Amino acid sequence: MDTELKDLIALVHSGTSSRDICPSGKPYTIIPENYKLADCERLLPKPIRKRGTATFTSAKSFVRYVNEHKTDSSRIFAHETPKISFTAILDFHGKDASWGEHTARFSPEFSPAWLRWTAAIGKPMNQAAFAEFIERKVSDITAPKGAVVLEIAENLTAKCDVRFDQKMGVADGKTRLVFEEDITVSGGGKSIATGSLDLPRAITTSIPVFVGSQSDDILWRIRPSVRERQLVFSIECPYLSDIIEKQFAALTDNIRSETGIEPFVGQFAAVTP
């Protein structure tokens, strides 16, 4: 039999109340059958200490909760990858060890606009699909201007039946695409005409990365290619990792400022005795 259990049994037989058995104040009782040790904390008017994990998707709510429950020993751990998260351990170790059983966690959610744009990264789109894509998202786009974006969409839709050349040029910061199209001339004959279409090499949007965050200017590169003389588009976000790092830094600064707790960059795993 475990030495601690023997001592508890001896205390019970000596008449010591169950509340005095554990120095932490947690009450136990010994069930005579097989001398089982039973936790009686649930019978108390209230728990002996705070326990539980509060989960938030709002930085404001996370900060408010931390400020309501923090102590001098409370700590916050910030983690960037694979997903940004902040964990506050409100009953963390101070001069004396603590259980770390009262925590709060905050993981920001990506905004719908950010998810729509990033879902298109590297995804091939034909002319019609790309024209529809930028037309639907014209309110997100700050450069080129909305009227120019709509004109590009109209031109792409109108040129769906032409044949594009594999060669592409660059003029005034734009991609120039050369094409051929069949023209019906008087008398019913046909002629081949050539033309060109200029497209911006990049689009800038102003959208929030996370729900509740401020809108940020984000550059998206347009990557046209020609397959079987038809245009295919995809988009890229060349500074994706930089954007996430910037957002992580901004959230960390805000939480530090609002809670007065300097976050540790890393994670903490408690060891259960």
Side-chain angles (χ1 to χ4, degrees):
M1 185 180 296
D2 183 82
T3 302
E4 183 178 359
L5 182 56
K6 288 181 178 179
D7 292 341
L8 290 172
I9 293 172
L11 285 170
V12 170
H13 286 309
S14 67
T16 304
S17 72
S18 62
R19 287 180 178 270
D20 295 330
I21 290 176
C22 183
S24 68
K26 189 172 186 178
Y28 289 90
T29 189
I30 301 213
I31 300 174
E33 183 182 356
N34 298 324
Y35 290 105
K36 293 180 180 178
L37 191 63
D39 182 354
C40 298
E41 184 181 3
R42 66 185 183 280
L43 303 177
L44 294 176
K46 60 183 179 181
I48 62 170
R49 62 176 178 269
K50 297 176 182 178
R51 299 184 186 89
T53 299
T55 304
F56 302 95
T57 56
S58 162
K60 289 184 179 180
S61 295
F62 174 75
V63 164
R64 179 183 171 190
Y65 188 86
V66 170
N67 284 337
E68 286 180 358
H69 296 278
K70 68 183 179 182
T71 67
D72 290 342
S73 60
S74 296
R75 296 291 182 267
I76 295 175
F77 294 85
H79 194 58
E80 183 178 353
T81 56
K83 184 180 180 180
I84 291 177
S85 65
F86 295 83
T87 301
I89 304 179
L90 299 163
D91 56 337
F92 197 68
H93 310 306
K95 291 182 179 179
D96 298 320
S98 187
W99 288 102
E101 293 179 326
H102 186 201
T103 62
R105 292 175 183 168
F106 162 55
S107 291
E109 293 184 337
F110 287 117
S111 72
W114 173 262
L115 291 175
R116 285 193 295 268
W117 279 90
T118 54
I121 292 176
K123 180 181 179 181
M125 291 177 274
N126 62 27
Q127 283 174 244
F130 183 70
E132 183 180 5
F133 176 80
I134 60 174
E135 188 175 10
R136 286 187 173 183
K137 295 170 177 54
V138 67
S139 60
D140 296 337
I141 299 171
T142 56
K145 293 182 179 179
V148 176
V149 173
L150 292 176
E151 183 180 357
I152 293 169
E154 290 175 3
N155 288 337
L156 286 171
T157 302
K159 300 298 182 184
C160 280
D161 294 329
V162 303
R163 300 179 298 276
F164 283 90
D165 198 315
Q166 290 282 356
K167 294 181 180 179
M168 300 181 190
V170 178
D172 299 325
K174 298 178 180 179
T175 301
R176 175 159 294 174
L177 304 165
V178 179
F179 61 84
E180 294 178 348
E181 61 180 329
D182 296 327
I183 303 294
T184 302
V185 296
S186 58
K190 289 188 177 182
S191 176
I192 296 177
T194 60
S196 63
L197 183 64
D198 290 342
L199 297 174
R201 303 183 69 188
I203 286 176
T204 301
T205 60
S206 180
I207 59 174
V209 175
F210 294 113
V211 174
S213 67
Q214 294 183 346
S215 294
D216 206 358
D217 290 336
I218 300 170
L219 183 76
W220 307 86
R221 295 203 185 280
I222 300 174
R223 300 296 189 193
S225 61
V226 178
R227 300 178 187 176
E228 298 180 353
R229 306 208 71 178
Q230 296 297 308
L231 272 180
V232 177
F233 292 90
S234 64
I235 64 170
E236 296 177 359
C237 186
Y239 308 112
L240 189 63
S241 60
D242 294 337
I243 292 167
I244 299 301
E245 285 180 10
K246 179 182 175 182
Q247 293 292 320
F248 177 66
L251 285 169
T252 302
D253 288 343
N254 178 64
I255 289 171
R256 177 195 302 112
S257 173
E258 295 296 323
T259 64
I261 301 173
E262 178 72 37
F264 291 99
V265 178
Q267 293 177 298
F268 178 82
V271 177
T272 304

Short mmCIF file of all heavy atoms in Angstrom, two decimals, residues 124-149:
data_model
loop_
_atom_site.label_atom_id
_atom_site.label_comp_id
_atom_site.label_asym_id
_atom_site.label_seq_id
_atom_site.Cartn_x
_atom_site.Cartn_y
_atom_site.Cartn_z
N PRO A 124 -5.42 27.61 -61.76
CA PRO A 124 -5.58 28.05 -63.16
C PRO A 124 -7.01 28.50 -63.44
O PRO A 124 -7.97 27.84 -63.04
CB PRO A 124 -5.23 26.81 -63.97
CG PRO A 124 -4.51 25.90 -63.02
CD PRO A 124 -5.06 26.18 -61.68
N MET A 125 -7.13 29.65 -64.13
CA MET A 125 -8.44 30.17 -64.52
C MET A 125 -8.39 30.56 -66.00
O MET A 125 -7.44 31.22 -66.42
CB MET A 125 -8.81 31.39 -63.68
CG MET A 125 -9.09 31.10 -62.22
SD MET A 125 -9.46 32.61 -61.26
CE MET A 125 -7.79 33.13 -60.82
N ASN A 126 -9.39 30.16 -66.76
CA ASN A 126 -9.45 30.61 -68.14
C ASN A 126 -9.87 32.08 -68.19
O ASN A 126 -10.14 32.69 -67.15
CB ASN A 126 -10.37 29.72 -68.98
CG ASN A 126 -11.81 29.74 -68.47
OD1 ASN A 126 -12.27 30.71 -67.87
ND2 ASN A 126 -12.52 28.66 -68.73
N GLN A 127 -9.94 32.63 -69.40
CA GLN A 127 -10.23 34.06 -69.52
C GLN A 127 -11.54 34.44 -68.85
O GLN A 127 -11.62 35.42 -68.10
CB GLN A 127 -10.28 34.45 -71.00
CG GLN A 127 -8.93 34.59 -71.65
CD GLN A 127 -9.07 34.84 -73.13
OE1 GLN A 127 -8.65 34.04 -73.94
NE2 GLN A 127 -9.68 35.95 -73.51
N ALA A 128 -12.58 33.68 -69.14
CA ALA A 128 -13.91 34.01 -68.60
C ALA A 128 -13.91 33.92 -67.07
O ALA A 128 -14.47 34.78 -66.39
CB ALA A 128 -14.95 33.08 -69.20
N ALA A 129 -13.28 32.88 -66.54
CA ALA A 129 -13.25 32.70 -65.09
C ALA A 129 -12.46 33.81 -64.42
O ALA A 129 -12.86 34.32 -63.36
CB ALA A 129 -12.66 31.34 -64.75
N PHE A 130 -11.33 34.19 -65.01
CA PHE A 130 -10.51 35.26 -64.42
C PHE A 130 -11.24 36.60 -64.51
O PHE A 130 -11.20 37.39 -63.57
CB PHE A 130 -9.17 35.35 -65.12
CG PHE A 130 -8.25 36.37 -64.52
CD1 PHE A 130 -7.69 36.17 -63.26
CD2 PHE A 130 -7.95 37.55 -65.19
CE1 PHE A 130 -6.84 37.11 -62.68
CE2 PHE A 130 -7.10 38.51 -64.63
CZ PHE A 130 -6.55 38.29 -63.38
N ALA A 131 -11.91 36.85 -65.63
CA ALA A 131 -12.67 38.09 -65.77
C ALA A 131 -13.75 38.18 -64.71
O ALA A 131 -13.96 39.24 -64.08
CB ALA A 131 -13.29 38.15 -67.17
N GLU A 132 -14.44 37.06 -64.47
CA GLU A 132 -15.48 37.04 -63.44
C GLU A 132 -14.88 37.21 -62.04
O GLU A 132 -15.45 37.90 -61.19
CB GLU A 132 -16.25 35.71 -63.51
CG GLU A 132 -17.39 35.60 -62.52
CD GLU A 132 -18.13 34.29 -62.61
OE1 GLU A 132 -17.69 33.41 -63.39
OE2 GLU A 132 -19.13 34.12 -61.90
N PHE A 133 -13.70 36.60 -61.83
CA PHE A 133 -13.03 36.68 -60.53
C PHE A 133 -12.73 38.14 -60.16
O PHE A 133 -13.07 38.60 -59.05
CB PHE A 133 -11.74 35.86 -60.58
CG PHE A 133 -10.90 35.93 -59.34
CD1 PHE A 133 -11.20 35.16 -58.23
CD2 PHE A 133 -9.79 36.78 -59.27
CE1 PHE A 133 -10.42 35.23 -57.08
CE2 PHE A 133 -9.01 36.85 -58.14
CZ PHE A 133 -9.33 36.07 -57.03
N ILE A 134 -12.09 38.89 -61.06
CA ILE A 134 -11.72 40.27 -60.71
C ILE A 134 -12.94 41.19 -60.71
O ILE A 134 -12.98 42.17 -59.96
CB ILE A 134 -10.62 40.82 -61.65
CG1 ILE A 134 -11.09 40.81 -63.11
CG2 ILE A 134 -9.33 40.03 -61.49
CD1 ILE A 134 -10.08 41.47 -64.05
N GLU A 135 -13.95 40.85 -61.52
CA GLU A 135 -15.15 41.68 -61.53
C GLU A 135 -15.90 41.58 -60.20
O GLU A 135 -16.40 42.57 -59.67
CB GLU A 135 -16.05 41.25 -62.68
CG GLU A 135 -17.24 42.16 -62.90
CD GLU A 135 -18.04 41.79 -64.13
OE1 GLU A 135 -17.78 40.70 -64.71
OE2 GLU A 135 -18.92 42.57 -64.51
N ARG A 136 -15.96 40.37 -59.66
CA ARG A 136 -16.66 40.17 -58.38
C ARG A 136 -15.91 40.78 -57.20
O ARG A 136 -16.51 41.12 -56.18
CB ARG A 136 -16.87 38.67 -58.14
CG ARG A 136 -17.96 38.05 -59.00
CD ARG A 136 -18.22 36.62 -58.59
NE ARG A 136 -19.35 36.04 -59.28
CZ ARG A 136 -19.82 34.82 -59.06
NH1 ARG A 136 -19.23 34.05 -58.16
NH2 ARG A 136 -20.86 34.37 -59.73
N LYS A 137 -14.61 40.93 -57.36
CA LYS A 137 -13.80 41.42 -56.24
C LYS A 137 -13.32 42.85 -56.46
O LYS A 137 -12.37 43.31 -55.82
CB LYS A 137 -12.61 40.49 -56.02
CG LYS A 137 -13.06 39.11 -55.56
CD LYS A 137 -11.95 38.10 -55.58
CE LYS A 137 -12.45 36.76 -55.05
NZ LYS A 137 -13.65 36.27 -55.76
N VAL A 138 -13.99 43.57 -57.35
CA VAL A 138 -13.55 44.92 -57.69
C VAL A 138 -13.57 45.83 -56.46
O VAL A 138 -12.75 46.76 -56.35
CB VAL A 138 -14.41 45.50 -58.83
CG1 VAL A 138 -15.86 45.72 -58.37
CG2 VAL A 138 -13.81 46.79 -59.36
N SER A 139 -14.46 45.58 -55.50
CA SER A 139 -14.52 46.43 -54.30
C SER A 139 -13.30 46.26 -53.40
O SER A 139 -12.99 47.13 -52.58
CB SER A 139 -15.79 46.14 -53.51
OG SER A 139 -15.83 44.78 -53.08
N ASP A 140 -12.59 45.13 -53.54
CA ASP A 140 -11.37 44.89 -52.75
C ASP A 140 -10.15 45.58 -53.37
O ASP A 140 -9.16 45.82 -52.68
CB ASP A 140 -11.05 43.38 -52.67
CG ASP A 140 -12.12 42.59 -51.95
OD1 ASP A 140 -12.85 43.18 -51.14
OD2 ASP A 140 -12.20 41.37 -52.20
N ILE A 141 -10.23 45.87 -54.67
CA ILE A 141 -9.05 46.31 -55.42
C ILE A 141 -8.89 47.82 -55.37
O ILE A 141 -9.84 48.57 -55.64
CB ILE A 141 -9.17 45.83 -56.89
CG1 ILE A 141 -9.23 44.30 -56.94
CG2 ILE A 141 -7.97 46.31 -57.72
CD1 ILE A 141 -9.57 43.73 -58.31
N THR A 142 -7.71 48.26 -54.99
CA THR A 142 -7.40 49.69 -54.93
C THR A 142 -6.53 50.15 -56.08
O THR A 142 -6.48 51.33 -56.40
CB THR A 142 -6.71 50.03 -53.59
OG1 THR A 142 -5.54 49.21 -53.44
CG2 THR A 142 -7.65 49.79 -52.42
N ALA A 143 -5.80 49.24 -56.70
CA ALA A 143 -4.97 49.57 -57.87
C ALA A 143 -4.89 48.34 -58.76
O ALA A 143 -4.56 47.25 -58.27
CB ALA A 143 -3.57 50.02 -57.44
N PRO A 144 -5.21 48.49 -60.06
CA PRO A 144 -5.72 49.69 -60.73
C PRO A 144 -7.09 50.10 -60.17
O PRO A 144 -7.70 49.36 -59.39
CB PRO A 144 -5.83 49.26 -62.19
CG PRO A 144 -5.07 47.99 -62.31
CD PRO A 144 -5.12 47.34 -60.98
N LYS A 145 -7.58 51.25 -60.62
CA LYS A 145 -8.87 51.74 -60.15
C LYS A 145 -10.00 50.84 -60.65
O LYS A 145 -9.87 50.11 -61.63
CB LYS A 145 -9.08 53.17 -60.63
CG LYS A 145 -8.11 54.17 -59.99
CD LYS A 145 -8.39 55.58 -60.45
CE LYS A 145 -7.43 56.56 -59.79
NZ LYS A 145 -7.67 57.96 -60.25
N GLY A 146 -11.14 50.94 -59.97
CA GLY A 146 -12.26 50.06 -60.26
C GLY A 146 -12.70 50.08 -61.71
O GLY A 146 -12.98 49.03 -62.31
N ALA A 147 -12.74 51.28 -62.32
CA ALA A 147 -13.18 51.39 -63.71
C ALA A 147 -12.23 50.65 -64.64
O ALA A 147 -12.65 50.02 -65.62
CB ALA A 147 -13.30 52.85 -64.12
N VAL A 148 -10.95 50.73 -64.35
CA VAL A 148 -9.94 50.05 -65.17
C VAL A 148 -10.09 48.54 -65.03
O VAL A 148 -10.00 47.79 -66.02
CB VAL A 148 -8.52 50.49 -64.77
CG1 VAL A 148 -7.47 49.71 -65.55
CG2 VAL A 148 -8.35 51.99 -64.99
N VAL A 149 -10.33 48.07 -63.81
CA VAL A 149 -10.51 46.63 -63.57
C VAL A 149 -11.72 46.11 -64.34
O VAL A 149 -11.66 45.04 -64.97
CB VAL A 149 -10.66 46.35 -62.06
CG1 VAL A 149 -11.03 44.88 -61.82
CG2 VAL A 149 -9.38 46.69 -61.31
#
